[in-house]
């Protein structure tokens, strides 16, 4: 019997729910696939949308992932101080076929030391800060560098999941899922990204400034920890 494809998503408080649930809706239609939501406990985890999501497993009991996935949200930055969660990512990554994220989930991967020298993307508001964690920021909706696949902000998660589905199962399977979930975007405004004709330049500037002020120091602290970890590893070696 063929082993199932195991997708393990790291769930955490203050996750942006669509970062997780958008890809999850794609994943559930893929053949022979298990999707595990891992956190410290099995208690409901609050999202940034005012409702909670229930984990299916704990970090300790989660199976080895074929696809390791980290969604984003402010909670991704709070993971910088969660040594257990970061160690979980470090342990899982070597055995995973794909190491992936959506939105600011890439910052958690970076804080775990998994994006060194890798091209990666994130939400446009925080994207430049990703360089501080060793990544090469790329302003594209889905970015692949080797076995690392990252999606940009929030709604990009569906594009990311369909891209991954095509990579693993083939384009026809991915197209069938896209049709089944009626993913046929036709937004009422052309304002969905910086530089689009109807995007508000003042909002773009304010969002980037807020990210730099509020998240920049957290990234600097995480980068310092990474440098200490590398130095310790070199000394031990």
């Amino acid at each position: 019997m063929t082993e199932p494809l195991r997708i393990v998503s790291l769930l955490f408080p203050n996750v942006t729910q669509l970062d997780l649930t958008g890809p999850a809706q794609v994943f559930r239609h893929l053949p022979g696939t298990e999707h595990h939501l891992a956190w410290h406990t099995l208690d409901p985890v609050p999202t940034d949308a005012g409702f909670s999501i229930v984990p299916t497993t704990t970090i300790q009991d989660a199976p080895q992932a074929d696809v390791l996935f980290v969604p984003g949200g402010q909670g991704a930055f709070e993971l910088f101080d969660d040594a257990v969660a970061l160690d979980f990512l470090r342990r899982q990554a070597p055995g995973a076929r794909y190491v992936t994220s959506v939105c600011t989930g890439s910052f958690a991967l970076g804080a775990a030391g998994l994006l060194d020298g890798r091209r990666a993307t994130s939400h446009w508001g925080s994207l430049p800060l990703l360089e501080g964690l060793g990544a090469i920021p790329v302003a594209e909706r889905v970015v692949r560098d080797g076995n690392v696949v990252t999606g940009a902000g929030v709604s990009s998660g569906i594009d990311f999941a369909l891209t991954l589905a095509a990579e693993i199962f083939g384009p026809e399977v991915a197209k069938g899922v896209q049709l089944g979930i009626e993913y046929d975007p036709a937004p009422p405004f052309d304002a969905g990204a910086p530089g689009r004709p109807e995007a508000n330049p003042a909002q773009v500037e304010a969002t980037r400034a807020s990210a730099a002020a509020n998240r920049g120091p957290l990234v600097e602290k995480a980068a310092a920890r990474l440098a200490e970890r590398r130095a310790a590893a070199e000394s031990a070696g």
Side-chain angles (χ1 to χ4, degrees):
M1 180 181 296
T2 303
E3 289 290 323
L5 180 81
R6 293 187 175 91
I7 300 171
V8 177
S9 297
L10 180 61
L11 184 58
F12 49 83
N14 293 320
V15 65
T16 294
Q17 65 83 21
L18 189 58
D19 289 357
L20 176 65
T21 58
Q25 193 63 40
V26 173
F27 295 156
R28 74 167 297 273
H29 292 285
L30 300 178
T33 298
E34 298 177 355
H35 188 193
H36 303 268
L37 307 179
W39 186 234
H40 292 295
T41 72
L42 297 179
D43 296 332
V45 176
T47 73
D48 66 357
F51 59 82
S52 296
I53 295 175
V54 180
T56 63
T57 188
T58 63
I59 285 174
Q60 181 178 357
D61 294 334
Q64 171 60 52
D66 297 304
V67 176
L68 179 63
F69 174 60
V70 186
Q74 182 59 31
F77 295 89
E78 296 163 6
L79 289 175
F80 292 177
D81 291 323
D82 190 333
V84 173
L86 293 184
D87 283 343
F88 170 73
L89 296 178
R90 294 187 189 105
R91 290 197 315 271
Q92 285 274 340
R97 288 173 58 188
Y98 298 94
V99 176
T100 71
S101 67
V102 163
C103 198
T104 52
S106 54
F107 282 86
L109 293 180
L114 301 177
L115 292 184
D116 289 352
R118 300 277 198 163
R119 299 169 68 253
T121 193
S122 189
H123 187 281
W124 57 265
S126 298
L127 180 61
L129 299 174
L130 202 54
E131 186 174 9
L133 295 176
I136 302 169
V138 179
E140 295 177 4
R141 199 153 173 86
V142 181
V143 174
R144 178 176 179 181
D145 188 332
N147 74 328
V148 175
V149 185
T150 55
V154 194
S155 65
S156 304
I158 298 177
D159 299 64
F160 149 81
L162 289 170
T163 299
L164 194 64
E167 171 73 21
I168 298 172
F169 295 100
E172 294 309 311
V173 169
K175 290 175 186 177
V177 174
Q178 181 178 356
L179 178 60
I181 65 174
E182 198 174 351
Y183 183 56
D184 186 25
F189 309 107
D190 194 359
R196 299 307 302 171
E198 297 182 78
N200 184 340
Q203 180 183 351
V204 171
E205 182 178 352
T207 300
R208 286 175 170 160
S210 176
N214 297 313
R215 294 175 170 177
L218 301 177
V219 172
E220 291 175 3
K221 185 177 178 181
R225 287 177 179 168
L226 273 178
E228 292 174 359
R229 184 180 179 85
R230 293 190 192 103
E234 290 174 2
S235 297

